[in-house]
Amino acid sequence: MKFRIEDLKLILRRPFETAHGRVTSRTSVVLSIEDDGAEGTGEAAACDYLKQTPEFSSAALAEMEAFVLPDALELDETLKALEEHFPDNPAARCAVDVALHDLVSKKLGIPLYRYFGLSAGEARKTSFTIGIDSLEKVAEKVEEAGEYSILKVKLGSRDDMDIIRRVRDLTEQTIRVDANAAWCYEEAVSKMKVLAELGVEFVEQPLGRGDIEGHARLKADAILPIILDESVQTSRDIPLFAAGCDGINIKLTKCGGLREATRMISTARAFGLKVMLGCMIESSIGITAAAHLSGLADYLDLDGNLLIANDPFHGVISAYGEMLLPSRPGLGLIDAYEAHDFGG
Ligand SMILES: [Mg+2]
């Protein structure tokens, strides 16, 4: 089995701002694993708050090659060894995990969702994210996002209430809010009361990442459902925060890939929690991988590829916010140029 590791600079259609900062491009690391004429592809997306830089992920991937067992079907053993030796590299482990799942399901001749015992099912809706911006820019973005029936609005600035009132004035779409850990408890209580009046569906990560007690108090206040993202990286974090949320946001980049994501889903269900599948800013490689698990989720927030202008692949198709899984073997990715030739 042979690794090919390449940087992929993703140019954003518009600058994107959250409570974590503002960016105009992101660099992912793309991993291709070649085995016996078949190829699997995975992506290590960048994530600043988890210190997953492209340099950090590339260096780890180069070392990980030696840990991959010769039989791709023994991917569980390979991934266990990577977890043990590279605990601080979830993004790089995710690239290997996704590439091996792509490879194995291609060898089996089935789409990845079938490997997990799932069906393509009916098209599932993803939310579309509106980043933090001036009121005028937010209004423009809401207008552009007219085809999506669910908006996820990033808050966590001084203008939070002006932004959300403006969005509500402009649209009847379902609104979800993500505060990205920016509020203190008192601020969260007062803001969530307004959000509830405006018909917001739920709020994601209102308080700081480690605030177990604050989130438990906030959940007991029962103002709005709470989904935790930054607080919950892997299945091991779920018992700690289960009393402080109604659901969790699972991202392949932070948990280390599809295998840990399915463990997180089982753990969340054991605590009676809802499951959201989320993403970083990443290409159709990472988004399509997560979308293959969509049959196991309650909410999808898989729009990272829609925010970029130069996605090199076509995989899951998002038409008017409805996600359609490819029926080709593996992830079902095709080169964006080829897709263009086919009129796809
Ligand atoms: Mg979030």
Side-chain angles (χ1 to χ4, degrees):
M1 248 175 297
K2 215 176 147 15
F3 274 27
R4 197 172 71 241
I5 302 161
E6 283 168 315
D7 279 2
L8 170 63
K9 187 170 181 185
L10 304 169
I11 313 291
L12 295 176
R13 291 180 191 278
R14 283 172 171 276
F16 184 72
E17 185 169 336
T18 71
H20 294 309
R22 187 177 178 91
V23 293
T24 54
S25 72
R26 301 300 272 163
T27 298
S28 281
V29 182
V30 175
L31 169 69
S32 310
I33 303 182
E34 211 235 277
D35 181 38
D36 225 0
E39 192 174 74
T41 309
E43 175 174 8
C47 178
D48 295 340
Y49 87 94
L50 294 176
K51 303 187 172 61
Q52 304 297 298
T53 62
E55 300 76 24
F56 186 63
S57 292
S58 287
L61 281 169
E63 288 179 41
M64 286 178 182
E65 185 168 7
F67 288 81
V68 178
L69 295 173
D71 183 354
L73 282 155
E74 289 177 5
L75 77 174
D76 203 54
E77 284 301 312
T78 295
L79 297 172
K80 246 189 259 170
L82 294 184
E83 256 177 54
E84 201 184 311
H85 289 90
F86 301 91
D88 301 327
N89 293 90
R93 281 189 281 119
C94 171
V96 178
D97 169 289
V98 168
L100 286 175
H101 280 90
D102 185 25
L103 186 63
V104 164
S105 42
K106 274 180 181 163
K107 282 174 182 265
L108 296 171
I110 54 174
L112 184 57
Y113 61 82
R114 301 249 312 154
Y115 172 88
F116 285 106
L118 302 169
S119 68
E122 288 170 22
R124 310 281 305 277
K125 284 184 177 135
T126 178
S127 49
F128 184 80
T129 304
I130 308 284
I132 295 174
D133 221 320
S134 65
L135 284 179
E136 295 69 39
K137 287 263 167 59
V138 165
E140 270 175 40
K141 289 178 187 175
V142 170
E143 192 162 330
E144 281 175 17
E147 69 182 75
Y148 297 92
S149 56
I150 309 165
L151 297 182
K152 171 156 143 178
V153 180
K154 294 283 193 182
L155 294 184
S157 77
R158 228 182 302 163
D159 305 323
D160 279 353
M161 292 299 103
D162 291 336
I163 289 175
I164 202 71
R165 286 201 173 92
R166 183 67 173 268
V167 175
R168 184 76 294 172
D169 281 348
L170 289 167
T171 176
E172 305 265 289
Q173 285 148 299
T174 297
I175 300 175
R176 299 170 181 169
V177 158
D178 188 356
N180 284 113
W183 299 335
C184 66
Y185 173 78
E186 289 72 20
E187 187 182 8
V189 168
S190 70
K191 289 187 171 175
M192 283 164 69
K193 283 181 179 163
V194 178
L195 300 179
E197 279 166 25
L198 295 172
V200 166
E201 188 182 16
F202 57 69
V203 60
E204 194 176 313
Q205 195 67 43
L207 309 177
R209 188 178 160 186
D211 195 348
I212 297 174
E213 196 247 346
H215 281 113
R217 274 169 75 196
L218 208 50
K219 185 184 172 182
D221 294 335
I223 307 167
L224 268 182
I226 297 165
I227 305 288
L228 289 182
D229 175 358
E230 284 89 337
S231 293
V232 180
Q233 306 294 321
T234 70
S235 50
R236 284 187 294 278
D237 300 321
I238 297 173
L240 285 173
F241 282 92
C245 66
D246 300 273
I248 58 164
N249 184 348
I250 298 172
K251 298 177 179 172
L252 301 186
T253 306
K254 63 178 187 177
C255 76
L258 294 154
R259 228 149 183 83
E260 176 59 21
T262 57
R263 253 180 253 148
M264 290 183 81
I265 293 170
S266 302
T267 310
R269 296 309 187 194
F271 282 96
L273 301 175
K274 298 274 193 193
V275 167
M276 174 194 265
L277 289 175
C279 61
M280 306 296 172
I281 291 166
E282 50 195 298
S283 80
S284 278
I285 305 169
I287 298 298
T288 303
H292 277 279
L293 294 181
S294 59
L296 297 173
D298 302 292
Y299 311 114
L300 302 182
D301 180 33
L302 296 175
D303 64 343
N305 57 338
L306 306 175
L307 305 176
I308 58 180
N310 61 334
D311 192 345
F313 291 100
H314 278 223
V316 64
I317 291 171
S318 180
Y320 301 100
E322 307 257 333
M323 304 198 88
L324 299 166
L325 282 167
S327 55
R328 295 177 290 272
L331 289 174
L333 298 174
I334 47 174
D335 193 281
Y337 292 105
E338 260 176 62
H340 200 66
D341 286 344
F342 289 135

